[in-house]
Amino acid sequence: MTDPRPEPADRTPTSNPVLRKALTWGGVLAGVIAIVSASLGFVFDGTSGLVSGLIGTLMAVVFMGITAASILVANRFAGSDVFVGAFFGIVLGGWLLKFIAFIVLVVLLRDAAWLNPTVLFLSLVAGVIASLVVDVLVVAKSRIPYVSDVQLPKPPVDD
Amino acid sequence: MDATTVLAEINGNIATVGYGLAAIGPAIGVGIVVGKTIEGVARQPELAGRLQVLMWIGIAFTEALAFIGIATYFIFV
């Protein structure tokens, strides 16, 4: 005999599809910007411009995407008792590690002879702004239920 | 050497100061965004999904300033 009671509600926060969509579209647009900035870099400074354009776009997209990715990872703890602590620990801890990694990378790449710093900077700024545009568009078009992540009381079972 | 020169002497790259300035704004911004999200989720836990999205877009805009601020290290000598 099957249990007539409904399955426990899915406690996964409703933000997951939005964040996944933003990551996907961010990746697509990053590909386009990488091609454009690498081409412009190649025109202005040859191979080092091409490499700088690619690295700058990659840095922008990876570092901007880590926030959404960390929220997605943290949402795996949804429903557990430590969710709030784990969520903010993972998101803000990831944020801190990301900035340390970014500063280390900037210091390492600064003096690299095979890079063009101006192309790198411009492609990084282009990648950051494009990532913001994608985020805003995805959030503006997203439809999230107003009341979600809620567990309704079970209906009474008549014996 | 007069007293003013001695007192106001600064050594090193002034871009380092730029990083410090670039860190202040985003630090305050992310602190406010996350703090207010915690407040909102504590008041209405069923809105956690919506608030997470808003928090994420707030953090994205705030950290963009920090990224550009730190990356100016590439172009400022």
Side-chain angles (χ1 to χ4, degrees):
Chain A
M1 194 177 152
T2 55
D3 189 358
R5 284 175 300 178
E7 290 286 311
D10 184 12
R11 301 298 299 271
T12 312
T14 42
S15 56
N16 275 14
V18 180
L19 296 170
R20 267 200 207 99
K21 200 173 165 192
L23 279 180
T24 313
W25 281 105
V28 170
L29 191 67
V32 175
I33 290 180
I35 293 171
V36 172
S37 59
S39 319
L40 286 176
F42 187 73
V43 168
F44 287 112
D45 198 28
T47 315
S48 71
L50 187 142
V51 175
S52 307
L54 286 178
I55 291 181
T57 317
L58 196 71
M59 278 167 72
V61 171
V62 168
F63 284 110
M64 293 294 284
I66 285 178
T67 311
S70 67
I71 295 177
L72 281 175
V73 170
N75 276 345
R76 289 169 187 266
F77 289 90
S80 76
D81 293 336
V82 293
F83 176 54
V84 175
F87 179 82
F88 288 105
I90 291 173
V91 173
L92 293 179
W95 199 81
L96 193 63
L97 286 178
K98 170 172 75 175
F99 268 96
I100 293 172
F102 185 65
I103 292 171
V104 169
L105 209 57
V106 166
V107 171
L108 287 179
L109 291 179
R110 173 73 197 268
D111 298 322
W114 44 276
L115 282 178
N116 182 329
T118 311
V119 174
L120 189 65
F121 175 75
L122 290 178
S123 57
L124 196 131
V125 171
V128 167
I129 292 174
S131 164
L132 286 179
V133 170
V134 167
D135 294 354
V136 168
L137 286 179
V138 168
V139 171
K141 286 178 183 293
S142 70
R143 302 181 69 183
I144 308 173
Y146 189 71
V147 174
S148 61
D149 318 331
V150 68
Q151 205 161 19
L152 296 173
K154 293 187 176 69
V157 181
D158 295 327
D159 289 325
Chain B
M1 196 180 287
D2 60 306
T4 314
T5 315
V6 173
L7 288 174
E9 189 182 354
I10 297 175
N11 286 318
N13 192 342
I14 194 70
T16 317
V17 182
Y19 166 66
L21 293 174
I24 293 172
I28 296 173
V30 169
I32 291 176
V33 168
V34 173
K36 291 286 176 185
T37 307
I38 295 174
E39 212 171 87
V41 173
R43 284 171 191 267
Q44 283 176 289
E46 71 273 14
L47 285 184
R50 288 176 71 91
L51 293 176
Q52 272 180 18
V53 171
L54 297 176
M55 180 191 83
W56 162 67
I57 199 103
I59 290 180
F61 271 92
T62 319
E63 76 184 356
L65 293 175
F67 276 131
I68 295 173
I70 298 170
T72 49
Y73 186 56
F74 280 120
I75 53 167
F76 296 153
V77 179

